[in-house]
Amino acid sequence: MAKPSLAMIGMAVMGSNLAQNFAEKGYDIALFNRTAQRTQDVYEAARGEPYAARLHPVYGDLKELVALVGRSGTYFIMVKAGEPTQDVIDRLVPLLSGDAIVVDCSNAHYVDTMRRQQALRDKVRFFGIGVSGGEEGARHGPSIMAGGESRTIYDRRLKRALEAVAAKAPQDGSPCVAYLGTHGAGHYVKMVHNGIEYADMALIAEAYDFMRRVLGMGAPAIADIFERWNKGPLQSYLVEITADVLRQEDPSGKGYLVDHILDAAQMKGTGTWMVESSLAIGKGVVPVPGIYGAVESRAISARKAQRVAAAKLLPLKAKRFAGNRARILKDLERALYVAKVACYAQGIDLLQAADEEYGFGGLDLARIARIWRAGCIIRARFLDDIAEAYQKGPMPQSLMLAPAFRRIVLKDMASLTAVCVAAANAQVPAFVFDASRGFILQSSSAQASANLTQAQRDFFGAHTYERTDRKGVFHTEWSGDRKERPA
Ligand code: 6PG
């Protein structure tokens, strides 16, 4: 039996599945959990598997784990982000030598990862990697976003193993894993992945609500539409599972399951982190209204009791659409695509700003799009086009201005407007569709309304303004002599 040089700490769903993935790909790996019983359960459950001999359960303490794997081994930590992760690091690192590799695979906040990278610099080689794809991904191939102190060490010690377990893009078989940059880069990119996931899900939910409440369609008919869309440019994991979800019958025999699920969304917080990060970039706010809208929309949904009470006092009832149904359904498909482009553009804007702010060392946007093509929750056909947009030639100022996407925005903006108008007329909210339309319009307006904002600020607070016709900074005595003076 070979001695493992890898260890997986944390035998919850993600850790146990990722460990089995490593074993299946030929890597001997030690299994460890805070409670030995859980390790034993995982090991027992995998006993009959052909890779079982490569799983090495450790039932004692971390010292026993290190005795087996070695002081300079590779330790993957897949426990809850935050304190539980910190606790493992605090107890593990003193047992290791300086060339041991410690990899935090949790959904850690990038600021924690940056801090840990700094704190552990002289103690071990620390990496923070984002793993996407849920249970199925962890077991059979997730998308992996890696960050850490050194690309050289990554290439030498982690690359091969991570490429073995990562998902393979169906287009070209390339592994969906990459070293993306220093310290928090991996977890930052994973956070942006999740923010985009929120927006993607919100847009799909709004399209569903539009078909349900504006067009009066039932779950199976809506499933047919999503299934059809999944054969075109919208092809994606989230659209695909939406059709499946909508077809699921209620186990208690009352029609369709989706119609009986409480309409109050929860969230673990990564979408909110993305919004917070967009507000904290030194050079100024990076607008991410689609992601913000998705977070807000979940938050409003969670206030179920207040909504029910308000519905009685503000009976703004949904109204049915009376126009051409075939046409509005076509518009809806196009609107979903354009709005999705706007939300991805916001994610990419933030990645670029954060790269500058935190010095990740040059995030490769084409590479990021490519490693999102399989394994992760936002995997989608159009990621190939995003990769292409950032692959060669001059970098577009925004995804929406890359030639392929610019053409689509120009062609389909009218559809997005038609959907927003139809939803508004029907009194059905379309938060993220509206936010996407506003973002596209405002981002491409040569003339904004901020001249008035600047004038108001100068009026009440002497905050000064610049002029369009002359260089300089000015202030006007709005209620005094009404003279304008250089500030
Ligand atoms: C992934 C997902 C995953 C996330 C869940 C739930 O990439 O596999 O993003 O990391 O935790 O989707 O997230 P919320 O509870 O915030 O919806």
Side-chain angles (χ1 to χ4, degrees):
M1 197 162 81
K3 192 168 124 61
S5 61
L6 306 183
M8 179 63 70
I9 300 175
M11 286 292 108
V13 174
M14 293 297 281
S16 58
N17 279 290
L18 194 55
Q20 291 180 69
N21 190 348
F22 274 116
E24 194 175 49
K25 301 296 159 16
Y27 289 86
D28 280 85
I29 186 162
L31 312 180
F32 185 87
N33 195 62
R34 194 169 44 86
T35 54
Q37 184 61 52
R38 176 72 195 155
T39 309
Q40 194 175 347
D41 292 348
V42 170
Y43 182 61
E44 293 299 333
R47 245 186 205 292
E49 301 291 347
Y51 53 80
R54 296 201 182 277
L55 299 172
H56 304 262
V58 173
Y59 299 123
D61 58 12
L62 280 172
K63 278 199 193 111
E64 275 180 50
L65 177 71
V66 174
L68 178 67
V69 177
R71 294 186 65 228
S72 53
T74 298
Y75 294 81
F76 294 97
I77 303 174
M78 185 65 110
V79 302
K80 222 165 162 234
E83 247 175 68
T85 297
Q86 191 58 49
D87 183 55
V88 171
I89 290 174
D90 290 345
R91 289 185 299 117
L92 175 69
V93 167
L95 307 174
L96 304 177
S97 68
D99 57 350
I101 305 255
V102 173
V103 187
D104 176 8
C105 309
S106 72
N107 251 340
H109 195 291
Y110 67 98
V111 172
D112 286 340
T113 306
M114 295 199 294
R115 179 179 49 73
R116 287 178 183 136
Q117 177 84 75
Q118 186 65 20
L120 298 172
R121 215 170 34 165
D122 303 323
K123 298 187 172 121
V124 289
R125 315 277 57 91
F126 183 71
F127 290 83
I129 69 172
V131 180
S132 175
E135 178 178 354
E136 183 67 14
R139 179 64 188 82
H140 299 291
S143 169
I144 303 176
M145 295 143 255
E149 62 166 52
S150 151
R151 180 186 292 274
T152 315
I153 297 175
Y154 172 87
D155 284 348
R156 212 153 27 86
R157 307 262 313 264
L158 281 172
K159 189 169 185 257
R160 222 154 56 109
L162 290 179
E163 288 190 349
V165 294
K168 309 295 177 294
Q171 295 88 333
D172 51 22
S174 62
C176 291
V177 53
Y179 173 86
L180 299 173
T182 55
H183 51 84
H187 280 138
Y188 197 93
V189 173
K190 174 64 172 43
M191 175 190 75
V192 170
H193 164 284
N194 279 32
I196 291 174
E197 172 186 309
Y198 274 47
D200 236 338
M201 291 172 71
L203 285 167
I204 289 172
E206 288 174 11
Y208 153 75
D209 206 28
F210 187 95
M211 288 186 260
R212 177 176 62 160
R213 293 205 288 159
V214 182
L215 301 180
M217 295 163 64
I222 302 175
D224 289 346
I225 299 286
F226 278 111
E227 197 174 291
R228 201 173 73 215
W229 289 354
N230 199 43
K231 297 193 175 98
L234 282 171
Q235 189 282 323
S236 63
Y237 171 71
L238 283 170
V239 169
E240 180 190 329
I241 65 164
T242 303
D244 284 354
V245 164
L246 290 166
R247 285 198 207 291
Q248 180 69 42
E249 287 178 16
D250 177 33
S252 51
K254 291 189 284 181
Y256 291 89
L257 178 59
V258 71
D259 295 324
H260 302 288
I261 293 180
L262 186 72
D263 55 339
Q266 298 187 355
M267 48 187 158
K268 295 201 194 76
T270 38
T272 315
W273 293 351
M274 176 166 166
V275 175
E276 282 169 356
S277 174
S278 76
L279 301 172
I281 297 289
K283 278 192 178 161
V285 171
V286 177
V288 292
I291 290 77
Y292 191 45
V295 170
E296 294 290 287
S297 180
R298 284 197 194 191
I300 295 173
S301 81
R303 299 157 75 181
K304 175 78 178 176
Q306 288 99 314
R307 287 191 289 112
V308 171
K312 295 198 180 89
L313 300 172
L314 296 171
L316 303 166
K317 293 251 162 28
K319 297 178 195 158
R320 285 285 153 82
F321 178 77
N324 182 324
R325 290 170 69 87
R327 175 158 337 136
I328 199 73
L329 275 171
K330 192 73 215 155
D331 281 333
L332 191 58
E333 180 181 11
R334 290 178 173 161
L336 187 51
Y337 193 83
V338 176
K340 201 170 141 121
V341 171
C343 293
Y344 276 69
Q346 293 159 31
I348 290 171
D349 285 352
L350 186 61
L351 286 176
Q352 287 176 310
D355 194 11
E356 228 178 273
E357 174 93 1
Y358 301 117
F360 291 142
L363 291 177
D364 180 342
L365 298 168
R367 194 86 202 271
I368 292 171
R370 282 203 303 274
I371 66 168
W372 284 348
R373 291 180 305 164
C376 68
I377 306 295
I378 64 171
R379 57 188 186 261
R381 174 186 289 182
F382 96 139
L383 283 159
D384 272 324
D385 300 333
I386 298 186
E388 175 116 347
Y390 290 94
Q391 187 66 51
K392 46 182 194 251
M395 189 77 101
Q397 189 192 306
S398 155
L399 179 68
M400 299 184 304
L401 300 180
F405 292 106
R406 181 176 158 263
R407 273 194 298 278
I408 286 165
V409 174
L410 280 174
K411 182 167 76 64
D412 293 341
M413 191 60 188
S415 291
L416 178 56
T417 303
V419 167
C420 291
V421 168
N425 284 333
Q427 304 200 123
V428 167
F431 237 74
V432 184
F433 276 116
D434 287 340
S436 304
R437 187 175 154 273
F439 176 76
I440 296 170
L441 279 185
Q442 200 164 350
S443 307
S444 58
S445 292
Q447 177 69 64
S449 56
N451 47 329
L452 180 59
T453 309
Q454 284 296 81
Q456 291 166 321
R457 291 177 70 249
D458 192 55
F459 187 106
F460 61 67
H463 293 299
T464 73
Y465 54 85
E466 290 175 85
R467 295 184 57 105
T468 52
D469 52 356
R470 264 183 285 141
K471 281 217 172 310
V473 178
F474 303 92
H475 166 62
T476 283
E477 281 303 324
W478 298 90
S479 47
D481 62 9
R482 297 198 173 254
K483 290 227 166 81
E484 181 183 72
R485 297 183 178 86

